[in-house]
Amino acid sequence: MAERAEYLRYAVRPWVLLKYFGQACIILALLTAAPMLISFVSGEITAALRYAAVMAALAVTWAGLRHLPEPSRVQANEGLVLAAGLFLFFPLLMVFPMMGAGLSFLDAFFEAVSGATTTGLSTLAAVETEPPAFLFARAWMQWYGGLGIMILSVALVVQPGLAAKGLALGDIQKDNLWGGTRPYARRILLVYCSLTGIGILALIIARVAPFDALLYILASVSTGGFSPRDGSLAALEAWPAQAIVLLICFTCAVSLVLYHDLFQKGRWRTANFLQLKALATIGVVGTVLFAFSLYAELGLPWAEIVRHSPFMVFSAQTTAGFSTMDTAALPQFSKLLLMGAMVIGGGVGSTAGGFKVLRLLIVLRFVQVLVARTSLARHAFMEPRLAGQRLQSREVQEALAIILLFMAVIAISWIFFVAEGFNPLDSLFEVISATATVGLSAGVTGPELPGLLKLVLCMDMLLGRVEILSWFVVLNPHTWAGRRSTEK
């Protein structure tokens, strides 16, 4: 059996990776045009030239690889390697223009990774003093990072068919995003852009400055959390504006497939609706517990508690990372509640991070069945079902494996912070925030954070954004060495 499996295993084909890497480069070049134009308009000519240089490098790469043949099928390992590689490649590429704002290489890389992975952690002491083009570039990276570089490539470049299906991996494939083909990817892009436009218009109506409205919504739709103001969401003093941002975050923490089903078919898929209910339930329960924590430990007036609690909890639950109060000053139990919300995250097929609420539901249902089986008759059988569908053993195993790996990454990363002498609880909060791509900070991340720990958080953000299993595929020797498919 082992020999047969070895015979059927195929290593990645370099020409396939290069083909789609080149096509992704032209997408990235087009995306980079936006911050370049903003730089020109705002008079930041040096920054504009840096972005132009990045665009030129991407265009040359695309031109050199565009004549490679189109494969009839993309292997799963090829799609995962390409996805992981792009999420590492583009932040490295964006270091050059971001260093134009006066950042060191490491800090520029940290900001770029935080943007591309829609995390929102920052080593900057203040953001309001940064130039407009820099602030736009951060939010813009979060916007297309939330949608996913891969899905943009599928939507705009890759020909429909098996090749496109092979590329649309990760959460999008797991939620069966209409097969991942170009026409369907365009539909999800339409949903994403529509929510972006609605959010910007709503904030402008709420009397938020247009540029601020743009940046807040770019970071909200992607559940990224980069704010153009030092006070994060608290800088929007009017509660209607804060509520709009939070509503957009929640909207995009739910599977985007849900909106297509609703408007095109007039109904919701049961699994997606179950995720929506679970997300809302966890958020409401967390809000109540968080409110009593603030009252018992800080003695805040209830008017203030009622205003802050839902924003803080749902911001953590949706992994948006906006805040209306100083997270570092929260009592320990409140931080623990936020950590629990962050690690669960949003729905599969959404822009949110975490190990995803659907996987939690799968594991809980499986445990429930295990307990129920102990009371069954000798010849009786009970199979785990969720949302009316039978759970395959592979689905349960995958959910358990991803949750376990997620926790392992958090535990290993946490050791580095504790070894450096940082507060254990705050260190755990920071590591969870990075791995779940949230962006809330307990005050650990900052300009003075040791370089090694900045790299640890960058690793956490990349692992959390592109699914940890993807990086195991990249590091697996069999991915690169061995028999290769001769199929064209």
Side-chain angles (χ1 to χ4, degrees):
M1 182 66 71
E3 293 179 359
R4 184 179 180 184
E6 186 68 28
Y7 180 78
L8 295 174
R9 180 186 306 178
Y10 293 115
V12 297
R13 295 163 293 178
W15 65 272
V16 174
L17 297 180
L18 290 174
K19 171 66 177 181
Y20 290 113
F21 175 77
Q23 294 201 359
C25 281
I26 195 61
I27 297 296
L28 295 173
L30 294 172
L31 291 168
T32 307
M36 184 193 70
L37 292 174
I38 294 293
S39 299
F40 270 121
V41 171
S42 61
E44 301 168 47
I45 305 302
T46 302
L49 292 176
R50 286 176 177 255
Y51 286 116
V54 170
M55 291 179 63
L58 289 168
V60 169
T61 303
W62 167 74
L65 300 175
R66 63 189 296 262
H67 297 295
L68 288 172
E70 186 102 15
S72 60
R73 185 181 69 89
V74 175
Q75 299 167 188
N77 56 356
E78 291 168 343
L80 290 170
V81 167
L82 187 58
L86 284 173
F87 270 96
L88 178 60
F89 166 74
F90 195 57
L92 282 170
L93 196 66
M94 292 299 290
V95 167
F96 175 64
M98 298 192 84
M99 287 179 67
L103 276 65
S104 66
F105 176 88
L106 183 56
D107 285 343
F109 179 65
F110 190 97
E111 294 293 317
V113 170
S114 186
T117 59
T118 72
T119 303
L121 281 174
S122 177
T123 60
L124 300 177
V127 297
E128 293 185 19
T129 57
E130 298 296 332
F134 176 82
L135 297 178
F136 174 80
R138 296 195 321 159
W140 182 242
M141 287 183 70
Q142 288 198 324
W143 186 85
Y144 63 75
L147 182 61
I149 295 174
M150 292 303 299
I151 195 63
L152 278 174
S153 299
V154 171
L156 303 176
V157 175
V158 180
Q159 295 300 315
L162 293 177
K165 290 183 181 181
L167 280 176
L169 295 171
D171 285 346
I172 292 170
Q173 185 196 52
K174 292 179 179 68
D175 206 9
N176 189 26
L177 186 56
W178 313 293
T181 55
R182 185 169 62 173
Y184 297 131
R186 283 177 171 169
R187 294 179 187 178
I188 207 64
L189 180 60
L190 177 62
V191 172
Y192 197 71
C193 292
S194 298
L195 292 173
T196 303
I198 292 171
I200 294 172
L201 180 61
L203 274 190
I204 292 176
I205 293 175
R207 299 184 178 181
V208 176
F211 188 67
D212 283 354
L214 171 65
L215 298 192
Y216 271 111
I217 294 302
L218 288 178
S220 300
V221 173
S222 61
T223 62
F226 267 149
S227 170
R229 302 293 176 185
D230 292 327
S232 188
L233 200 57
L236 297 176
E237 297 180 357
W239 72 264
Q242 295 176 344
I244 290 170
V245 170
L246 185 66
L247 181 60
I248 291 294
C249 292
F250 183 81
T251 299
C252 293
V254 177
S255 175
L256 299 184
V257 180
L258 182 146
Y259 303 108
H260 172 266
D261 288 348
L262 177 63
F263 292 111
Q264 295 295 323
K265 303 178 181 179
R267 59 181 176 81
W268 286 335
R269 296 185 189 183
T270 308
N272 288 333
F273 186 56
L274 183 63
Q275 289 191 84
L276 172 61
K277 291 192 296 183
L279 191 65
T281 301
I282 295 171
V284 170
V285 172
T287 297
V288 173
L289 294 175
F290 189 85
F292 279 102
S293 173
L294 294 182
Y295 179 76
E297 300 189 61
L298 296 182
L300 296 179
W302 277 106
E304 190 172 346
I305 290 173
V306 169
R307 175 162 185 179
H308 289 298
S309 295
F311 287 103
M312 294 298 295
V313 172
F314 275 96
S315 182
Q317 183 70 51
T318 61
T319 72
F322 289 112
S323 61
T324 58
M325 57 192 308
D326 184 8
T327 309
L330 290 174
Q332 294 186 356
F333 183 70
S334 297
K335 290 179 181 178
L336 287 171
L337 286 172
L338 294 183
M339 282 190 275
M342 290 190 296
V343 78
I344 295 172
V348 169
S350 73
T351 62
F355 60 64
K356 305 298 190 299
V357 66
L358 182 60
R359 293 186 179 120
L360 175 64
L361 294 174
I362 289 173
V363 172
L364 291 177
R365 181 57 180 159
F366 179 67
V367 172
Q368 183 184 15
V369 169
L370 286 180
V371 174
R373 284 175 179 171
T374 62
S375 60
L376 292 178
R378 185 174 181 179
H379 301 291
F381 176 75
M382 176 184 291
E383 60 182 12
R385 302 181 70 86
L386 188 68
Q389 297 183 357
R390 179 176 176 269
L391 291 176
Q392 303 293 330
S393 59
R394 182 177 178 180
E395 293 174 315
V396 177
Q397 292 169 3
E398 182 185 83
L400 286 168
I402 289 178
I403 292 174
L404 179 61
L405 289 172
F406 202 89
M407 295 303 184
V409 168
I410 289 172
I412 294 171
S413 303
W414 179 59
I415 291 173
F416 284 91
F417 282 80
V418 175
E420 288 286 339
F422 285 89
N423 177 278
L425 183 65
D426 290 344
S427 298
L428 183 60
F429 188 100
E430 216 77 2
V431 167
I432 289 176
S433 182
T435 310
T437 66
V438 182
L440 288 173
S441 176
V444 175
T445 304
E448 305 304 321
L449 187 68
L452 174 62
L453 298 186
K454 290 179 181 178
L455 289 175
V456 169
L457 291 179
C458 287
M459 179 198 70
D460 290 338
M461 291 185 280
L462 288 168
L463 287 170
R465 177 57 186 156
V466 197
E467 292 289 356
I468 298 170
L469 284 175
S470 300
W471 295 102
F472 277 86
V473 172
V474 173
L475 297 175
N476 183 9
H478 293 289
T479 299
W480 305 98
R483 297 177 63 251
R484 302 185 194 278
S485 174
T486 57
E487 183 181 359
K488 298 297 184 180

